[in-house]
Amino acid sequence: MKYHAFDIAVSCKPAALREVLKTITGPQAPQFLVLRQIRIRNEKEKGPSRAGDPTKPDKQAVDYIVGEEWIEVDARIEIVDFAKPGEQSTPDQSSSVPKSTPRP
């Protein structure tokens, strides 16, 4: 078995990220991918004021922002190549996967 890691960085809406993650980790994915690390940051650090906008009438004072914000995503994904039947599995030396050592 061999591992090939790569990093991605994207800026997208939350719905788009959900769709991508479902696609690459689902059973129909063309390759066996493992999501090793993910970091998600909202483009806006603070939420809207709870007081509302005093310049708008009461019915328009609330601005809905859920799902409208953009997020910044940094992720590390690994492609796993399985050995063919009958071949010996050797770890890829360029792999970034740490080898575990048995504890005494």
Side-chain angles (χ1 to χ4, degrees):
M1 191 168 16
K2 293 183 181 182
Y3 300 89
H4 307 280
F6 63 95
D7 298 318
I8 62 168
V10 294
S11 198
C12 62
K13 292 201 175 214
L17 177 63
R18 281 192 304 273
E19 199 61 37
V20 168
L21 291 177
K22 285 192 315 188
T23 301
I24 67 172
T25 59
Q28 301 299 327
Q31 193 77 25
F32 189 79
L33 302 173
V34 178
L35 181 63
R36 288 289 179 194
Q37 296 174 345
I38 189 165
R39 179 178 172 193
I40 302 172
R41 291 179 309 278
N42 199 339
E43 73 173 333
K44 297 178 182 173
E45 295 292 323
K46 293 187 175 186
S49 168
R50 291 183 178 216
D53 187 354
T55 62
K56 293 183 179 179
D58 286 341
K59 290 184 180 182
Q60 296 177 352
V62 178
D63 288 330
Y64 294 100
I65 63 160
V66 176
E68 296 300 319
E69 69 274 10
W70 281 71
I71 55 177
E72 297 172 5
V73 181
D74 297 316
R76 173 167 284 254
I77 300 173
E78 290 181 351
I79 300 173
V80 180
D81 289 330
F82 294 99
K84 294 180 183 174
E87 289 182 8
Q88 274 196 339
S89 178
T90 58
D92 185 5
Q93 297 301 326
S94 65
S95 173
S96 63
V97 178
K99 295 178 177 70
S100 61
T101 57
R103 292 186 173 193

XYZ file of all heavy atoms in Angstrom:
814
model
N 0.843 -1.160 0.000
C 0.000 0.000 0.000
C 0.899 1.237 0.000
O 1.891 1.293 0.698
C -0.865 -0.041 1.269
C -1.944 0.939 1.285
S -3.214 0.744 2.572
C -2.576 -0.345 3.773
N 0.544 2.227 -0.799
C 1.307 3.465 -0.865
C 0.369 4.639 -0.612
O -0.800 4.599 -0.970
C 1.959 3.620 -2.236
C 3.029 2.592 -2.516
C 3.679 2.858 -3.841
C 4.735 1.803 -4.116
N 5.415 2.049 -5.368
N 0.938 5.685 0.007
C 0.187 6.893 0.283
C 0.809 8.046 -0.480
O 2.024 8.189 -0.505
C 0.237 7.238 1.776
C -0.320 6.185 2.670
C 0.489 5.177 3.157
C -1.647 6.190 3.039
C -0.002 4.200 3.992
C -2.159 5.225 3.876
C -1.336 4.223 4.349
O -1.833 3.263 5.170
N -0.036 8.872 -1.069
C 0.425 10.063 -1.769
C -0.399 11.230 -1.229
O -1.602 11.309 -1.473
C 0.227 9.946 -3.279
C 0.830 8.705 -3.855
N 2.174 8.605 -4.125
C 0.283 7.514 -4.186
C 2.418 7.395 -4.623
N 1.296 6.721 -4.654
N 0.227 12.121 -0.486
C -0.489 13.234 0.137
C -0.401 14.485 -0.725
O 0.588 14.714 -1.419
C 0.085 13.514 1.516
N -1.460 15.287 -0.673
C -1.444 16.593 -1.313
C -2.293 17.550 -0.487
O -3.169 17.131 0.264
C -1.914 16.530 -2.776
C -3.342 16.075 -2.950
C -4.363 17.005 -3.075
C -3.657 14.725 -3.010
C -5.674 16.590 -3.244
C -4.959 14.308 -3.182
C -5.975 15.236 -3.300
N -1.995 18.827 -0.609
C -2.702 19.867 0.123
C -3.533 20.690 -0.841
O -3.128 20.913 -1.986
C -1.721 20.795 0.842
C -0.897 20.064 1.883
O -1.454 19.234 2.613
O 0.310 20.317 1.956
N -4.690 21.152 -0.354
C -5.522 22.053 -1.146
C -5.911 23.231 -0.273
O -5.982 23.123 0.949
C -6.782 21.366 -1.713
C -7.689 20.854 -0.577
C -6.432 20.244 -2.654
C -9.062 20.436 -1.048
N -6.154 24.355 -0.903
C -6.654 25.549 -0.233
C -7.704 26.164 -1.146
O -7.412 26.448 -2.320
C -5.531 26.531 0.044
N -8.910 26.328 -0.631
C -9.993 26.890 -1.439
C -10.799 27.874 -0.597
O -10.776 27.834 0.628
C -10.941 25.801 -1.996
C -10.247 24.911 -2.971
C -11.568 24.997 -0.888
N -11.526 28.705 -1.287
C -12.465 29.624 -0.674
C -13.807 29.352 -1.347
O -13.910 29.424 -2.581
C -11.997 31.058 -0.926
O -12.605 31.940 -0.052
N -14.817 28.992 -0.558
C -16.098 28.608 -1.140
C -17.221 28.802 -0.130
O -16.983 29.162 1.013
C -16.052 27.157 -1.613
S -15.770 25.975 -0.271
N -18.436 28.518 -0.554
C -19.586 28.551 0.344
C -19.678 27.194 1.052
O -19.201 26.192 0.525
C -20.858 28.835 -0.435
C -20.867 30.248 -0.995
C -22.247 30.697 -1.292
C -22.186 32.149 -1.724
N -23.334 32.872 -1.306
N -20.280 27.142 2.242
C -20.371 25.882 2.985
C -21.038 24.749 2.203
O -20.611 23.603 2.276
C -21.186 26.256 4.222
C -20.943 27.711 4.407
C -20.789 28.274 3.023
N -22.059 25.054 1.430
C -22.752 24.017 0.662
C -21.824 23.379 -0.372
O -21.874 22.166 -0.600
C -23.984 24.591 -0.022
N -20.969 24.179 -0.990
C -20.028 23.650 -1.982
C -19.010 22.724 -1.318
O -18.677 21.671 -1.864
C -19.327 24.787 -2.707
N -18.542 23.093 -0.135
C -17.592 22.242 0.590
C -18.234 20.908 0.958
O -17.616 19.858 0.793
C -17.078 22.946 1.845
C -16.145 22.113 2.713
C -14.872 21.766 1.963
C -15.842 22.827 4.011
N -19.466 20.940 1.436
C -20.166 19.690 1.776
C -20.264 18.779 0.563
O -20.052 17.571 0.654
C -21.557 19.994 2.323
C -21.579 20.431 3.749
C -22.992 20.426 4.309
N -23.931 21.237 3.541
C -24.125 22.540 3.744
N -23.440 23.177 4.671
N -24.999 23.198 3.012
N -20.570 19.335 -0.579
C -20.716 18.541 -1.801
C -19.383 17.914 -2.219
O -19.322 16.750 -2.593
C -21.273 19.422 -2.921
C -21.870 18.658 -4.056
C -23.049 17.787 -3.642
O -23.853 18.181 -2.784
O -23.141 16.667 -4.183
N -18.311 18.676 -2.129
C -16.984 18.152 -2.477
C -16.595 17.025 -1.530
O -16.116 15.970 -1.950
C -15.926 19.280 -2.469
C -14.520 18.712 -2.524
C -16.163 20.228 -3.624
N -16.790 17.226 -0.228
C -16.425 16.196 0.750
C -17.239 14.925 0.557
O -16.710 13.819 0.664
C -16.582 16.724 2.174
C -15.586 17.809 2.582
C -15.882 18.294 3.988
C -14.165 17.327 2.466
N -18.518 15.058 0.242
C -19.341 13.869 -0.030
C -18.846 13.135 -1.268
O -18.822 11.913 -1.309
C -20.813 14.252 -0.206
C -21.512 14.583 1.083
C -23.013 14.691 0.952
C -23.480 15.481 -0.230
N -24.912 15.744 -0.260
N -18.424 13.888 -2.276
C -17.974 13.284 -3.527
C -16.657 12.530 -3.359
O -16.515 11.404 -3.829
C -17.820 14.367 -4.614
O -19.074 15.019 -4.793
C -17.361 13.758 -5.922
N -15.682 13.131 -2.680
C -14.372 12.481 -2.599
C -14.315 11.369 -1.562
O -13.430 10.530 -1.627
C -13.235 13.493 -2.348
C -13.345 14.134 -0.968
C -13.172 14.531 -3.436
C -12.159 14.975 -0.593
N -15.236 11.361 -0.610
C -15.209 10.306 0.404
C -16.309 9.275 0.201
O -16.386 8.305 0.945
C -15.335 10.890 1.823
O -16.565 11.612 1.921
C -14.169 11.796 2.146
N -17.136 9.448 -0.791
C -18.247 8.536 -1.028
C -17.838 7.279 -1.766
O -16.718 7.147 -2.258
N -18.766 6.340 -1.866
C -18.461 5.067 -2.516
C -18.238 5.174 -4.027
O -17.640 4.301 -4.624
C -19.692 4.210 -2.210
C -20.787 5.180 -1.924
C -20.120 6.387 -1.337
N -18.688 6.253 -4.647
C -18.514 6.420 -6.091
C -17.222 7.152 -6.459
O -16.970 7.414 -7.625
C -19.710 7.195 -6.669
C -21.042 6.519 -6.445
C -21.113 5.149 -7.105
O -20.518 4.916 -8.150
N -21.839 4.237 -6.473
N -16.399 7.483 -5.473
C -15.142 8.191 -5.736
C -14.236 7.322 -6.609
O -14.151 6.110 -6.423
C -14.439 8.537 -4.430
N -13.547 7.932 -7.570
C -12.693 7.153 -8.472
C -11.429 6.615 -7.804
O -10.788 5.719 -8.324
C -12.331 8.156 -9.568
C -12.469 9.481 -8.916
C -13.560 9.337 -7.901
N -11.079 7.125 -6.664
C -9.866 6.734 -5.957
C -10.194 6.669 -4.475
O -11.124 7.310 -4.015
C -8.779 7.792 -6.201
C -7.394 7.409 -5.806
C -6.740 6.476 -6.801
O -7.095 6.451 -7.957
N -5.799 5.706 -6.342
N -9.423 5.908 -3.704
C -9.631 5.844 -2.264
C -8.883 7.012 -1.635
O -7.658 7.056 -1.644
C -9.127 4.509 -1.700
C -9.506 4.297 -0.274
C -10.785 3.881 0.064
C -8.594 4.527 0.739
C -11.147 3.689 1.387
C -8.946 4.342 2.068
C -10.231 3.923 2.386
N -9.627 7.998 -1.142
C -9.040 9.200 -0.576
C -9.318 9.264 0.922
O -10.387 8.891 1.380
C -9.622 10.447 -1.241
C -9.447 10.537 -2.752
C -10.208 11.727 -3.312
C -7.985 10.653 -3.106
N -8.332 9.742 1.673
C -8.472 9.888 3.111
C -8.252 11.354 3.452
O -7.215 11.923 3.114
C -7.444 9.016 3.868
C -7.572 9.216 5.368
C -7.607 7.557 3.492
N -9.224 11.963 4.100
C -9.096 13.339 4.556
C -8.359 13.309 5.883
O -8.876 12.861 6.894
C -10.484 13.966 4.722
C -10.529 15.403 5.176
C -9.864 16.315 4.159
C -11.949 15.827 5.419
N -7.094 13.742 5.901
C -6.252 13.660 7.099
C -6.394 14.884 7.987
O -6.437 14.776 9.196
C -4.777 13.495 6.719
C -4.453 12.162 6.182
C -4.504 11.142 7.285
N -4.192 9.829 6.732
C -4.401 8.723 7.361
N -4.917 8.722 8.562
N -4.107 7.583 6.799
N -6.409 16.059 7.409
C -6.522 17.294 8.185
C -7.410 18.265 7.433
O -7.382 18.302 6.199
C -5.162 17.956 8.369
C -4.172 17.163 9.152
C -2.799 17.844 9.163
O -2.523 18.744 8.387
N -1.940 17.384 10.046
N -8.156 19.040 8.194
C -8.961 20.095 7.568
C -9.034 21.269 8.533
O -9.146 21.083 9.748
C -10.364 19.595 7.163
C -11.079 20.648 6.325
C -11.162 19.187 8.375
C -12.289 20.131 5.579
N -8.904 22.442 7.991
C -9.018 23.672 8.777
C -9.987 24.579 8.034
O -9.789 24.870 6.854
C -7.657 24.340 8.904
C -7.709 25.615 9.687
C -6.335 26.202 9.829
N -6.461 27.521 10.434
C -5.492 28.386 10.466
N -4.324 28.093 9.940
N -5.667 29.555 11.025
N -11.017 25.013 8.731
C -12.055 25.844 8.121
C -12.133 27.158 8.880
O -12.256 27.171 10.098
C -13.418 25.125 8.152
C -13.327 23.786 7.413
C -14.499 26.013 7.542
C -14.546 22.930 7.546
N -12.059 28.253 8.142
C -12.176 29.583 8.733
C -13.292 30.341 8.018
O -13.369 30.322 6.788
C -10.868 30.367 8.579
C -9.733 29.833 9.411
C -8.454 30.625 9.216
N -8.052 30.813 7.827
C -7.383 29.907 7.109
N -7.060 28.759 7.622
N -7.033 30.161 5.867
N -14.111 31.010 8.803
C -15.149 31.853 8.229
C -14.501 33.138 7.741
O -13.572 33.650 8.374
C -16.204 32.158 9.292
C -17.506 32.625 8.687
O -17.546 33.091 7.563
N -18.561 32.488 9.447
N -14.974 33.671 6.622
C -14.378 34.898 6.096
C -14.602 36.084 7.031
O -13.800 36.999 7.085
C -14.910 35.221 4.706
C -16.345 35.725 4.710
C -16.818 36.205 3.353
O -15.989 36.635 2.544
O -18.020 36.146 3.118
N -15.684 36.044 7.783
C -15.971 37.112 8.738
C -15.712 36.575 10.131
O -16.284 35.582 10.539
C -17.414 37.579 8.601
C -17.703 38.183 7.237
C -19.141 38.589 7.123
C -19.394 39.141 5.720
N -20.803 39.391 5.484
N -14.849 37.248 10.861
C -14.483 36.792 12.194
C -15.608 36.976 13.201
O -15.753 36.201 14.123
C -13.230 37.536 12.672
C -11.995 37.227 11.855
C -11.525 35.805 12.033
O -11.619 35.269 13.143
O -11.061 35.217 11.035
N -16.412 38.012 13.045
C -17.488 38.300 13.989
C -18.836 38.164 13.315
O -18.989 38.453 12.130
C -17.349 39.717 14.539
C -16.140 39.913 15.417
C -16.173 41.287 16.042
C -15.016 41.433 17.014
N -15.086 42.695 17.743
N -19.832 37.756 14.106
C -21.204 37.661 13.607
C -21.861 39.030 13.572
O -21.279 40.027 14.021
N -23.087 39.104 13.062
C -23.782 40.386 12.991
C -24.187 40.857 14.385
O -24.301 40.066 15.320
C -25.001 40.079 12.131
C -25.251 38.636 12.358
C -23.896 38.012 12.541
N -24.423 42.121 14.508
C -24.873 42.700 15.773
C -26.258 42.175 16.106
O -27.117 42.032 15.234
C -24.905 44.225 15.645
O -25.579 44.777 16.740
N -26.491 41.899 17.367
C -27.809 41.417 17.788
C -28.828 42.553 17.859
O -30.020 42.312 17.914
C -27.707 40.736 19.149
C -26.956 39.446 19.076
C -26.951 38.781 20.405
N -26.258 37.519 20.291
C -26.600 36.441 20.933
N -27.606 36.453 21.761
N -25.922 35.331 20.764
N -28.368 43.773 17.854
C -29.261 44.920 17.964
C -30.034 45.154 16.673
O -31.077 45.771 16.677
C -28.468 46.169 18.327
N -29.541 44.645 15.569
C -30.217 44.869 14.293
C -29.779 46.190 13.679
O -28.955 46.924 14.226
N -30.351 46.504 12.541
C -30.000 47.726 11.827
C -31.076 48.770 12.125
O -32.222 48.632 11.704
C -29.915 47.436 10.325
C -29.385 48.609 9.532
O -29.192 49.692 10.118
O -29.164 48.439 8.321
N -30.740 49.844 12.823
C -31.745 50.833 13.194
C -32.289 51.624 12.004
O -33.329 52.253 12.119
C -31.004 51.766 14.170
C -29.562 51.572 13.885
C -29.419 50.180 13.350
N -31.618 51.583 10.856
C -32.094 52.344 9.698
C -33.181 51.606 8.932
O -33.842 52.189 8.096
C -30.931 52.645 8.744
O -30.392 51.407 8.267
C -29.843 53.442 9.437
N -33.408 50.332 9.216
C -34.411 49.541 8.503
C -35.671 49.420 9.355
O -35.597 49.396 10.577
C -33.875 48.142 8.201
C -32.738 48.124 7.207
C -32.331 46.714 6.911
C -31.207 46.664 5.900
N -30.794 45.295 5.632
N -36.823 49.319 8.723
C -38.054 49.061 9.487
C -37.951 47.710 10.207
O -37.127 46.874 9.864
C -39.143 49.013 8.423
C -38.561 49.636 7.206
C -37.072 49.502 7.312
N -38.790 47.487 11.213
C -38.729 46.278 12.041
C -38.742 44.978 11.237
O -38.027 44.047 11.556
C -39.881 46.253 13.048
C -39.654 47.251 14.174
O -38.495 47.657 14.358
O -40.634 47.624 14.834
N -39.550 44.901 10.198
C -39.653 43.643 9.439
C -38.395 43.376 8.619
O -38.127 42.251 8.248
C -40.875 43.672 8.525
C -42.179 43.609 9.293
C -43.356 43.553 8.367
C -44.639 43.489 9.181
N -45.816 43.388 8.349
N -37.633 44.401 8.322
C -36.423 44.223 7.530
C -35.159 44.352 8.371
O -34.065 44.376 7.848
C -36.374 45.244 6.401
C -37.493 45.085 5.394
C -37.431 46.169 4.339
O -36.652 47.111 4.440
N -38.270 46.057 3.331
N -35.306 44.416 9.694
C -34.155 44.640 10.567
C -33.235 43.432 10.647
O -32.065 43.563 10.947
C -34.629 45.017 11.967
N -33.750 42.243 10.365
C -32.948 41.034 10.473
C -32.348 40.689 9.117
O -33.044 40.588 8.123
C -33.805 39.852 10.977
C -32.978 38.585 11.033
C -34.412 40.180 12.321
N -31.031 40.541 9.087
C -30.341 40.084 7.877
C -29.954 38.636 8.092
O -29.269 38.309 9.060
C -29.080 40.911 7.609
C -29.416 42.304 7.130
O -30.462 42.465 6.480
O -28.628 43.227 7.411
N -30.381 37.762 7.210
C -30.037 36.356 7.330
C -28.682 36.135 6.680
O -28.480 36.465 5.519
C -31.103 35.488 6.659
C -32.427 35.571 7.364
C -33.454 36.377 6.879
C -32.648 34.856 8.526
C -34.652 36.458 7.542
C -33.848 34.940 9.193
C -34.851 35.741 8.703
O -36.036 35.821 9.362
N -27.767 35.574 7.457
C -26.421 35.369 6.925
C -26.020 33.904 6.896
O -25.014 33.558 6.318
C -25.362 36.146 7.732
C -25.321 35.641 9.163
C -25.594 37.633 7.670
C -24.049 35.976 9.881
N -26.776 33.040 7.541
C -26.402 31.629 7.612
C -26.414 31.039 6.206
O -27.391 31.124 5.484
C -27.355 30.849 8.533
C -27.020 29.376 8.536
C -27.317 31.430 9.930
N -25.307 30.453 5.815
C -25.188 29.840 4.496
C -24.774 30.817 3.412
O -24.484 30.418 2.300
N -24.746 32.092 3.709
C -24.365 33.092 2.717
C -22.899 33.483 2.833
O -22.355 34.121 1.949
C -25.241 34.342 2.863
C -26.703 34.081 2.577
C -26.941 33.575 1.159
O -26.312 34.088 0.215
O -27.748 32.652 1.002
N -22.265 33.127 3.940
C -20.876 33.503 4.137
C -19.949 32.596 3.317
O -20.340 31.516 2.907
C -20.499 33.430 5.627
C -20.446 32.029 6.186
C -21.771 31.479 6.674
O -22.825 32.101 6.426
O -21.758 30.407 7.266
N -18.751 33.065 3.098
C -17.725 32.276 2.429
C -16.794 31.728 3.499
O -16.580 32.359 4.529
C -16.951 33.133 1.437
C -17.710 33.334 0.163
C -18.822 34.097 0.003
C -17.423 32.765 -1.094
N -19.246 34.037 -1.293
C -18.406 33.224 -1.995
C -16.435 31.911 -1.561
C -18.423 32.851 -3.328
C -16.451 31.551 -2.897
C -17.431 32.012 -3.763
N -16.232 30.561 3.245
C -15.287 29.966 4.168
C -13.975 29.695 3.434
O -13.963 29.503 2.220
C -15.828 28.662 4.797
C -16.241 27.669 3.718
C -16.963 28.954 5.745
C -16.710 26.333 4.251
N -12.888 29.721 4.194
C -11.569 29.397 3.653
C -11.182 28.033 4.201
O -11.236 27.810 5.412
C -10.556 30.450 4.072
C -10.866 31.823 3.521
C -9.979 32.906 4.101
O -9.053 32.585 4.863
O -10.223 34.068 3.784
N -10.813 27.125 3.319
C -10.542 25.740 3.706
C -9.120 25.360 3.310
O -8.709 25.587 2.168
C -11.541 24.780 3.017
C -11.282 23.353 3.425
C -12.970 25.183 3.309
N -8.380 24.809 4.260
C -7.074 24.213 4.006
C -7.204 22.743 4.388
O -7.645 22.438 5.494
C -5.982 24.868 4.857
C -5.803 26.338 4.515
O -5.775 26.657 3.317
O -5.685 27.147 5.445
N -6.832 21.848 3.492
C -6.989 20.425 3.778
C -5.801 19.630 3.262
O -5.171 20.001 2.275
C -8.268 19.889 3.146
N -5.501 18.538 3.954
C -4.490 17.571 3.517
C -5.247 16.283 3.220
O -5.943 15.743 4.078
C -3.444 17.326 4.573
C -2.477 16.185 4.175
C -1.277 16.174 5.060
N -0.389 17.260 4.649
C 0.740 17.053 3.999
N 1.140 15.848 3.713
N 1.503 18.069 3.649
N -5.100 15.812 1.998
C -5.791 14.612 1.537
C -4.749 13.611 1.071
O -3.748 13.991 0.461
C -6.770 14.958 0.394
C -7.815 15.959 0.900
C -7.434 13.705 -0.149
C -8.724 16.498 -0.163
N -4.990 12.342 1.356
C -4.076 11.288 0.909
C -4.800 10.359 -0.050
O -5.940 9.974 0.187
C -3.567 10.480 2.097
C -2.621 11.250 2.968
C -2.098 10.432 4.124
O -2.598 9.312 4.363
O -1.180 10.912 4.789
N -4.094 10.018 -1.125
C -4.560 8.995 -2.052
C -3.914 7.696 -1.610
O -2.711 7.638 -1.384
C -4.147 9.316 -3.504
C -4.745 10.644 -3.947
C -4.557 8.185 -4.438
C -4.245 11.116 -5.292
N -4.700 6.658 -1.489
C -4.176 5.362 -1.071
C -4.190 4.429 -2.277
O -5.228 4.218 -2.896
C -5.013 4.754 0.074
C -4.446 3.413 0.501
C -5.076 5.713 1.246
N -3.022 3.909 -2.628
C -2.895 2.913 -3.692
C -2.680 1.562 -3.036
O -1.689 1.349 -2.338
C -1.714 3.229 -4.615
C -1.978 4.439 -5.482
O -3.149 4.682 -5.806
O -1.014 5.145 -5.822
N -3.614 0.664 -3.249
C -3.511 -0.666 -2.668
C -2.677 -1.564 -3.572
O -2.706 -1.433 -4.796
C -4.901 -1.277 -2.475
C -5.721 -0.539 -1.458
C -6.669 0.386 -1.842
C -5.530 -0.761 -0.106
C -7.425 1.067 -0.909
C -6.272 -0.084 0.841
C -7.220 0.831 0.439
N -1.931 -2.473 -2.972
C -1.122 -3.420 -3.736
C -2.043 -4.402 -4.449
O -3.102 -4.768 -3.939
C -0.172 -4.163 -2.804
N -1.637 -4.820 -5.636
C -2.404 -5.824 -6.375
C -2.258 -7.164 -5.672
O -1.246 -7.420 -5.009
C -1.893 -5.916 -7.813
C -2.148 -4.649 -8.594
C -1.624 -4.771 -9.995
C -1.822 -3.458 -10.732
N -1.233 -3.453 -12.037
N -3.230 -8.035 -5.806
C -3.123 -9.352 -5.165
C -1.841 -10.068 -5.604
O -1.483 -10.075 -6.772
C -4.353 -10.095 -5.662
C -5.316 -9.029 -6.041
C -4.487 -7.879 -6.517
N -1.126 -10.615 -4.644
C 0.108 -11.330 -4.943
C 1.343 -10.477 -4.831
O 2.452 -10.983 -4.758
N 1.215 -9.142 -4.833
C 2.359 -8.254 -4.683
C 2.573 -7.957 -3.211
O 1.630 -7.898 -2.438
C 2.134 -6.934 -5.419
C 2.161 -7.036 -6.913
C 1.985 -5.668 -7.563
O 2.004 -4.653 -6.846
O 1.811 -5.620 -8.774
N 3.826 -7.762 -2.850
C 4.110 -7.376 -1.473
C 3.862 -5.889 -1.303
O 4.159 -5.094 -2.195
C 5.556 -7.692 -1.104
C 5.754 -9.091 -0.618
C 7.094 -9.202 0.087
O 7.980 -8.396 -0.114
N 7.223 -10.212 0.920
N 3.338 -5.536 -0.169
C 3.077 -4.137 0.140
C 4.316 -3.515 0.752
O 4.846 -4.005 1.732
C 1.904 -4.037 1.112
O 1.680 -2.708 1.457
N 4.806 -2.430 0.138
C 5.964 -1.725 0.680
C 5.583 -0.268 0.867
O 4.939 0.323 0.001
C 7.178 -1.816 -0.270
O 6.795 -1.278 -1.535
C 7.643 -3.243 -0.423
N 5.976 0.328 1.977
C 5.640 1.742 2.191
C 6.415 2.632 1.234
O 7.569 2.370 0.923
C 6.029 2.003 3.639
C 6.976 0.913 4.001
C 6.673 -0.258 3.114
N 5.762 3.662 0.768
C 6.382 4.645 -0.111
C 7.303 5.533 0.724
O 6.879 6.102 1.710
C 5.289 5.483 -0.776
C 5.828 6.448 -1.802
O 7.039 6.413 -2.083
O 5.034 7.241 -2.322
N 8.559 5.653 0.348
C 9.522 6.425 1.119
C 9.209 7.914 1.075
O 9.600 8.653 1.956
C 10.945 6.183 0.593
C 11.400 4.747 0.742
C 11.371 4.279 2.199
O 11.628 5.053 3.100
N 11.039 3.022 2.417
N 8.489 8.380 0.065
C 8.165 9.804 -0.022
C 6.901 10.130 0.744
O 6.463 11.275 0.763
C 8.004 10.210 -1.494
O 6.886 9.543 -2.045
N 6.294 9.159 1.357
C 5.046 9.366 2.065
C 5.260 10.224 3.305
O 6.282 10.170 3.960
C 4.457 8.016 2.475
O 3.340 8.221 3.287
N 4.252 11.013 3.633
C 4.340 11.849 4.820
C 3.666 11.185 6.014
O 3.531 11.789 7.056
C 3.678 13.195 4.546
O 2.313 12.993 4.281
N 3.233 9.950 5.847
C 2.569 9.234 6.940
C 3.623 8.709 7.892
O 4.507 7.966 7.501
C 1.721 8.058 6.400
C 1.079 7.303 7.534
C 0.691 8.568 5.430
N 3.560 9.109 9.166
C 4.577 8.629 10.111
C 4.398 7.150 10.396
O 3.292 6.644 10.457
C 4.331 9.462 11.355
C 2.934 9.937 11.240
C 2.614 9.998 9.772
N 5.508 6.469 10.529
C 5.456 5.047 10.842
C 5.326 4.897 12.349
O 6.001 5.586 13.107
C 6.728 4.354 10.343
C 6.849 4.382 8.839
C 8.138 3.734 8.419
C 8.270 3.685 6.942
N 8.468 4.924 6.312
N 4.453 4.022 12.783
C 4.285 3.836 14.218
C 5.331 2.860 14.725
O 5.758 1.952 14.037
C 2.886 3.307 14.522
O 2.700 2.064 13.905
N 5.771 3.106 15.947
C 6.732 2.216 16.586
C 6.078 1.578 17.787
O 5.333 2.240 18.508
C 7.992 2.980 17.025
O 7.592 4.034 17.893
C 8.748 3.531 15.841
N 6.314 0.284 17.995
C 5.672 -0.372 19.135
C 6.225 0.173 20.436
O 7.399 0.511 20.545
C 6.032 -1.842 18.955
C 7.144 -1.882 17.971
C 7.118 -0.599 17.206
N 5.347 0.287 21.407
C 5.756 0.762 22.733
C 6.178 -0.411 23.591
O 5.593 -1.479 23.509
C 4.614 1.501 23.397
C 4.294 2.785 22.702
C 3.271 3.530 23.469
N 3.100 4.841 22.854
C 2.464 5.810 23.404
N 1.904 5.642 24.577
N 2.332 6.955 22.805
N 7.185 -0.208 24.439
C 7.639 -1.309 25.316
C 6.622 -1.599 26.398
O 5.790 -0.909 26.746
C 8.929 -0.795 25.911
C 9.040 0.660 25.587
C 8.025 0.950 24.558
